[in-house]
Amino acid sequence: MKRILLLVFLLVLCMNAFAQESPSPESNKTAIDVVWTLIAAFMVFFMQAGFAMVETGFTRAKNAGNIIMKNLMDFSVGTIAYWAVGFALMFGVSIQGIFGTSGFFLAGGSPLTTEGLWTYAFWLFQCVFAATAATIVSGAMAERTKFIAYLVYSVFISALIYPVVGHWIWGGGWLGNLGFIDFAGSTVVHSVGGWAALMGAIILGPRTGKYLKIDGIKKIKVKAIPGHNIPLASLGVFILWFGWYGFNAGSTTAGTNISIAFIAVNTSIAAATGSILAMLVSWIMHSKPDPSMTLNGALAGLVAITAPCASVSPSSAAIIGLVAGIIVVFSVEFFDKVLHIDDPVGAISVHGVCGAFGTLAAGLFAEKAFGEVNGLFFGGGFKQFGIQFLGVISIFGWVIITTFILFTAIKHTIGLRVSPEEELKGLDLEEHGMESYSGFQIFTTH
């Protein structure tokens, strides 16, 4: 009798197992897409470490801890701001294509449905993008910004400034409806961060001793303030290059979309040509191949290819990276030596200027064989280029106006800049009460 009951029990178990629904092609596709999107999100999150290393290496040792704190906390406070407000403004139900109005506090997510679980994965991927836009500004405002002021800024760019731009292009907004091309964020992410960095650096002013007046006010001497650790900055660039595969190819948000292969190829080629041309231009200009310019050349190529990475050929990607590598060198020199805007890491040039160039390049080099339209150089006429130009100008205006208001308000309330004495001693000691390199003499007079 016991044997019969055991056989019946086993038979019931087998019947239940066979009765369960087996995985379908659609469920397998969803699972692959979720896993790919999450892996890409993890890679983009790791870029936060890359930005921290680049900024730390390109600045002075007495401010290293402050820079690490900024790169940690802009992600932390930005995550909460994007969860509560930013994601809803970016991807919620649209009002006239301007901003979203639903999904606050990630209301659309649910562990009980496939759609709800996908919302969680998609939110995480978009959140790390928002963090990238926020952290770009840190480098241009390094070594003289109040820590509390930076935290306040991080909340507003993550909750409002970045999400509105994202809605215009990726969230069903007016620019996206016009056919604007920005596959992975040359404009949405990088130009937003670059133009915010520009306004922040202008309102904040240069580091003490950076620009010295000679003969009254007729002439200004530009003083170089070298970074303290180029190998550390180099590590940061390698981390960023690695993370960019998640940034660009991950923007398919679909592991079953095999275009991730050529998107990754375009990403690599543009970064390579960007670094090569930046090295050559700096070599010609200064008789030596400049490591810092070469590193920024790789980043310039990466930023420039981010918008058109899914709509151009590898040959076009090589040209786009090549031009970006040239642009970044002259742009850094222009902001520093002509406009006298102090940007310790070149963030304005790398992300703002090259982000705008890459966005315009989509209107020049796009091909139907890879994307949906032909650009100007492939018989598509000026229409797509005109849409790209409109987008670049519109987003420049939005970011410049909103960040002017934001940084001005911070300046006249809690204060934006540390005192000259605090700047001289270093923000590690004055803002955080500790040294990054304990036991080393790093105090300087500049």
Side-chain angles (χ1 to χ4, degrees):
M1 186 67 182
K2 289 182 179 179
R3 290 181 178 179
I4 294 173
L5 290 174
L6 179 60
L7 288 173
V8 171
F9 177 71
L10 292 173
L11 180 62
V12 170
L13 287 179
C14 291
M15 291 175 65
N16 286 337
F18 282 111
Q20 291 178 357
E21 183 180 354
S22 60
S24 66
E26 185 61 31
S27 66
N28 285 337
K29 177 183 181 302
T30 300
I32 292 170
D33 291 347
V34 168
V35 170
W36 167 245
T37 301
L38 288 175
I39 290 173
F42 304 153
M43 292 172 68
V44 177
F45 169 73
F46 190 45
M47 291 173 70
Q48 201 77 8
F51 282 114
M53 296 301 97
V54 169
E55 185 182 346
T56 301
F58 280 166
T59 53
R60 290 168 290 184
K62 63 183 180 180
N63 300 305
N66 172 259
I67 287 163
I68 295 299
M69 281 290 288
K70 288 194 300 177
N71 280 271
L72 171 65
M73 296 313 300
D74 62 21
F75 183 84
S76 299
V77 300
T79 293
I80 302 305
Y82 193 72
W83 164 68
V85 179
F87 185 71
L89 292 181
M90 191 162 172
F91 292 103
V93 176
S94 183
I95 292 184
Q96 301 299 318
I98 305 300
F99 59 88
T101 58
S102 62
F104 294 95
F105 294 96
L106 201 52
S110 171
L112 303 178
T113 66
T114 300
E115 183 179 353
L117 287 168
W118 168 250
T119 299
Y120 285 141
F122 185 69
W123 175 85
L124 183 62
F125 186 73
Q126 295 300 331
C127 178
V128 293
F129 271 51
T132 299
T135 205
I136 288 167
V137 183
S138 176
M141 300 176 67
E143 302 199 288
R144 71 259 200 219
T145 304
K146 280 187 175 181
F147 183 64
I148 183 63
Y150 186 78
L151 294 182
V152 172
Y153 145 79
S154 297
V155 170
F156 279 93
I157 193 170
S158 301
L160 175 63
I161 297 170
Y162 167 79
V164 168
V165 173
H167 185 80
W168 290 358
I169 298 170
W170 293 340
W174 66 277
L175 271 173
N177 291 335
L178 287 175
F180 184 82
I181 298 173
D182 189 4
F183 185 75
S186 286
T187 284
V188 176
V189 179
H190 295 282
S191 281
V192 167
W195 301 143
L198 172 62
M199 185 51 62
I202 291 172
I203 294 177
L204 185 63
R207 290 168 290 176
T208 300
K210 175 63 178 174
Y211 303 113
L212 305 174
K213 293 182 180 179
I214 300 175
D215 298 327
I217 61 173
K218 293 181 180 179
K219 188 176 181 181
I220 294 178
K221 179 182 178 181
V222 179
K223 181 180 179 182
I225 303 179
H228 82 284
N229 196 328
I230 294 301
L232 192 63
S234 303
L235 174 62
V237 170
F238 282 117
I239 291 172
L240 288 170
W241 192 328
F242 170 75
W244 231 287
Y245 296 119
F247 207 98
N248 287 359
S251 289
T252 59
T253 61
T256 52
N257 183 342
I258 59 174
S259 67
I260 58 179
F262 93 85
I263 291 171
V265 168
N266 284 349
T267 301
S268 265
I269 289 175
T273 56
S275 63
I276 292 169
L277 264 294
M279 178 192 70
L280 292 176
V281 172
S282 68
W283 203 335
I284 293 169
M285 291 176 64
H286 305 297
S287 301
K288 300 284 184 181
D290 186 329
S292 63
M293 282 294 190
T294 305
L295 293 170
N296 269 338
L299 298 180
L302 289 164
V303 169
I305 198 58
T306 299
C309 61
S311 56
V312 302
S313 69
S315 297
S316 294
I319 296 170
I320 291 169
L322 182 153
V323 175
I326 297 171
I327 288 174
V328 73
V329 176
F330 288 102
S331 180
V332 167
E333 296 275 335
F334 178 74
F335 280 106
D336 186 28
K337 297 180 179 179
V338 178
L339 298 183
H340 299 141
I341 296 174
D342 186 14
D343 178 1
V345 304
I348 300 167
S349 299
V350 169
H351 300 280
V353 175
C354 290
F357 162 69
T359 304
L360 295 174
L364 300 174
F365 293 95
E367 296 181 58
K368 276 188 177 180
F370 300 96
E372 298 180 356
V373 297
N374 282 325
L376 178 62
F377 293 162
F378 291 89
F382 283 95
K383 181 181 178 181
Q384 190 62 48
F385 183 80
I387 294 171
Q388 300 300 111
F389 182 77
L390 174 63
V392 167
I393 294 300
S394 300
I395 288 155
F396 176 82
W398 164 255
V399 176
I400 290 296
I401 291 170
T402 53
T403 53
F404 172 78
I405 295 170
L406 174 60
F407 286 126
T408 301
I410 292 173
K411 181 178 180 179
H412 290 96
T413 51
I414 61 175
L416 187 61
R417 183 171 183 139
V418 299
S419 69
E421 292 76 18
E422 291 171 325
E423 184 181 352
L424 178 64
K425 293 180 181 179
L427 302 190
D428 284 5
L429 286 173
E430 295 301 309
E431 288 276 83
H432 307 287
M434 64 180 299
E435 294 178 294
S436 295
Y437 302 96
S438 181
F440 289 83
Q441 179 63 39
I442 61 172
F443 181 80
T444 62
T445 59
H446 63 276

